[in-house]
Amino acid sequence: MASAPRVRFAPSPTGYLHIGGARTALFNYLYARRFGGTFILRIEDTDQERSTEASLQAILDGLKWLDIGWDEGPEKGGPYPPYFQTQRLDTYRQHAEQLIAAGKAYRCYCTPEEIKERRARAEKEAGVTGVYKYEGTCRDRKDVPAGQHSVVRFKMPSQEGSVSFDDFVLGKITKEYSDLDDWVMLRADGIPLYNFGCVIDDHLMDISLVARGQEHVNSTFPQLMLYQAFGWEPPRFAHLPLILGPDREKLSKRKHKEADVMLHKANGILPEALLNFVIRLGWSHGNDEVISRQQMIEWFDFKDVGSTSGVWNPEKLLWLNQHYLKTLPASDIAARLAPFLAEQGSPLPAQDPRLEHIVVAFRERAKTLVEMAAMAVPYLKQGVAIDEKAAAKHLTADSLKLVRQVRDDAAALPEWTVPALDTVIKTVSERAGVGMGKVAQPVRVAITGNTTSPGIGETLLLVGKDEALRRLDAALARG
Ligand code: GLU
């Protein structure tokens, strides 16, 4: 490819952004970024019954959440507008007319009922579905009353021949003309069918490489016939391998809830983790598992996409998520944690330093933001339910004396920090001539209600001074 690549993601807004779509978008985006190209978002909204504004919004939201930014398309514009197919109907009509005039397409007046009947008959005779090919009834039809509605069909060459392409992923693939029929390009109401709209737009938008899911391999042949008929140079193609669910069935919206990109957001998965997970579905760079965005851009190429299906591994997603929880700046994670705390009934103001303390305290154990919030909630509520077994063991009269000293020393601290609070525990234990655990454990039970929590200084800080003192007082009142 001599000039900078132009690649595109062309979703149909008939549902939320699914993982397969996100992968197609990501691969195209990375390719454009790596080779200084342009990534175009085109909305294929010609299925007017199933396309909705809500789905469009969901797709844009999904891409934005994953930070897969497009250079041209909705909300951005660009040099080849409009980027919605339903706003390009004149263009399709003109191109259809052009092919009709050149004798490479024709109007077909067979009614949908007739076609349906013929299809049913052909399938019954063959005993299998999908065998029907249009007979060419209207190819040379002259007896047409003006004004009658018609679809426009592509005229397959009548001589023998074949059409091939060299796929980035699948290698060379060929189809005989005889396997293709005179397919419909334009419906009677002027709406293009997928193969037609797609080719017109890919050509006019100067797309140099088309990367999409493997379910579109067979569409590539009629599409190539169209490039040929117009005398246009076709783009390169890369058909991405299937993605299988954890049950090794093709990942589908119907069967797999994990196919929904935004479900992962709700589950407390970070977009960095999901992207890292998705890039490994069909593409690899040696044995690398953790791949930063920077590395993705440096390394990605369609020639490294394999043809073996990518399989969904839920543990790997959680593992990656925890990796990013642990390695991204705590302040960054804190901001993303806030809505999860609110959702679980313990909202904290955006500037509250405890948000960051929670991240530091729990990121070694929490695999998602949902889990992290759940671990933190008991620290943020007012009051605590004390486990009586823990109290019997640790809140004895003797140990409460130590708790009293911790309470008073901590209350007197000018500022609550982890080292200062740890020092309080240390000082009290030294004064009493006992191990630090003998002091920390009763305090822990008083603060958390049981015997496990992060480090004692961290625990006190998480609960916050006012509430921690209240909890210590409540424990002391038991004595
Ligand atoms: N609108 C098609 C889809 O969502 C696009 C396929 C293509 O990329 O050509 O499947």
Side-chain angles (χ1 to χ4, degrees):
M1 224 173 310
S3 48
R6 288 181 55 85
V7 291
R8 79 331 184 252
F9 174 47
S12 300
T14 54
Y16 56 70
L17 179 65
H18 57 93
I19 292 289
R23 181 187 63 175
T24 301
L26 175 66
F27 284 11
N28 279 294
Y29 163 89
L30 293 174
Y31 191 76
R33 288 293 164 275
R34 171 164 182 194
F35 295 104
T38 306
F39 173 50
I40 292 119
L41 177 61
R42 179 175 75 229
I43 306 299
E44 300 203 331
D45 55 351
T46 51
D47 184 343
Q48 286 166 311
E49 264 158 41
R50 293 175 58 229
S51 295
T52 64
E53 191 57 37
S55 296
L56 169 66
Q57 210 45 59
I59 291 170
L60 300 185
D61 288 350
L63 292 173
K64 287 177 193 171
W65 180 64
L66 290 170
D67 197 12
I68 302 177
W70 54 99
D71 306 305
E72 292 174 24
E75 298 177 356
K76 279 237 143 162
Y80 302 95
Y83 291 89
F84 289 82
Q85 288 196 321
T86 48
Q87 295 170 22
R88 302 173 61 82
L89 301 185
D90 275 353
T91 306
Y92 306 128
R93 194 180 41 73
Q94 284 160 18
H95 283 85
E97 299 288 353
Q98 193 184 322
L99 275 198
I100 295 172
K104 292 176 176 173
Y106 60 93
R107 295 187 194 286
C108 165
Y109 298 89
C110 298
T111 62
E113 293 72 35
E114 285 169 334
I115 300 284
K116 203 171 150 195
E117 213 180 284
R118 292 186 218 158
R119 172 174 291 120
R121 203 176 320 129
E123 290 184 345
K124 196 168 166 209
E125 269 167 32
V128 274
T129 56
V131 287
Y132 175 69
K133 287 210 211 60
Y134 181 66
E135 309 75 349
T137 319
C138 294
R139 263 186 160 221
D140 301 303
R141 191 164 173 171
K142 299 279 182 297
D143 59 330
V144 180
Q148 183 161 334
H149 283 296
S150 63
V151 301
V152 178
R153 284 187 186 270
F154 182 78
K155 195 186 242 175
M156 280 297 292
S158 36
Q159 73 275 25
E160 295 210 344
S162 63
V163 50
S164 314
F165 66 102
D166 193 8
D167 192 274
F168 253 111
V169 179
L170 304 170
K172 187 168 175 192
I173 342 184
T174 303
K175 197 148 208 108
E176 298 298 320
Y177 288 172
S178 55
D179 287 335
L180 301 171
D181 72 347
D182 290 355
W183 50 280
V184 175
M185 296 167 16
L186 212 57
R187 291 193 336 203
D189 58 5
I191 302 287
L193 269 91
Y194 159 63
N195 282 333
F196 187 59
C198 176
V199 167
I200 301 299
D201 290 348
D202 284 340
H203 174 72
L204 293 180
M205 293 180 178
D206 203 18
I207 300 300
S208 56
L209 191 160
V210 166
R212 57 190 171 197
Q214 227 168 72
E215 65 274 20
H216 293 293
V217 170
N218 276 323
S219 301
T220 309
F221 301 106
Q223 292 186 8
L224 283 167
M225 294 308 299
L226 206 49
Y227 283 99
Q228 205 173 305
F230 278 112
W232 294 339
E233 192 195 330
R236 294 283 321 262
F237 292 93
H239 286 95
L240 311 177
L242 291 180
I243 301 176
L244 307 181
D247 57 356
R248 298 197 159 250
E249 296 271 328
K250 184 175 183 294
L251 189 76
S252 80
K253 293 185 179 185
R254 210 165 27 83
K255 271 192 276 167
H256 302 97
K257 57 181 178 0
E258 49 276 84
D260 177 1
V261 166
M262 289 312 233
L263 175 84
H264 301 288
K265 180 181 185 204
N267 285 348
I269 298 290
L270 301 169
E272 288 84 350
L274 191 61
L275 271 193
N276 193 151
F277 179 77
V278 164
I279 196 176
R280 294 284 287 98
L281 295 170
W283 174 89
S284 58
H285 181 270
N287 290 326
D288 289 309
E289 289 292 357
V290 173
I291 304 168
S292 69
R293 179 174 284 252
Q294 183 72 29
Q295 290 168 324
M296 289 183 188
I297 294 172
E298 254 167 56
W299 294 341
F300 183 80
D301 197 335
F302 284 110
K303 65 180 168 44
D304 301 319
V305 174
S307 52
T308 342
S309 309
V311 183
W312 191 277
N313 176 344
E315 286 79 35
K316 192 159 154 196
L317 177 58
L318 289 174
W319 178 81
L320 281 168
N321 203 49
Q322 190 173 32
H323 167 81
Y324 286 100
L325 284 174
K326 288 200 289 200
T327 52
L328 288 172
S331 56
D332 183 352
I333 303 294
R336 305 193 216 183
L337 174 69
F340 290 90
L341 285 171
E343 198 170 280
Q344 294 187 29
S346 290
L348 285 181
Q351 296 314 320
D352 195 311
R354 278 178 296 171
L355 281 171
E356 221 172 300
H357 299 153
I358 293 170
V359 175
V360 175
F362 296 114
R363 64 181 165 186
E364 297 294 328
R365 283 194 286 148
K367 291 200 167 69
T368 68
L369 291 169
V370 172
E371 276 182 20
M372 193 181 269
M375 288 174 183
V377 162
Y379 295 81
L380 304 177
K381 294 220 176 305
Q382 284 210 352
V384 60
I386 304 229
D387 174 55
E388 285 310 322
K389 255 173 79 188
K393 181 153 181 228
H394 296 286
L395 299 182
T396 58
D398 279 350
S399 57
L400 283 178
K401 284 185 195 137
L402 301 171
V403 172
R404 153 80 51 205
Q405 293 179 35
V406 170
R407 190 246 175 253
D408 292 343
D409 286 8
L413 282 177
E415 199 194 344
W416 273 35
T417 62
V418 172
L421 290 161
D422 283 342
T423 306
V424 167
I425 304 288
K426 195 159 167 251
T427 315
V428 171
S429 64
E430 280 170 3
R431 236 188 274 144
V434 297
M436 271 177 62
K438 283 267 184 280
V439 181
Q441 210 55 349
V443 171
R444 179 171 279 118
V445 173
I447 295 289
T448 69
N450 53 53
T451 51
T452 49
S453 80
I456 194 65
E458 246 173 355
T459 303
L460 286 161
L461 199 63
L462 275 181
V463 173
K465 187 169 183 178
D466 294 348
E467 175 64 16
L469 294 180
R470 266 198 298 276
R471 292 188 190 186
L472 291 172
D473 287 339
L476 289 168
R478 300 168 78 102

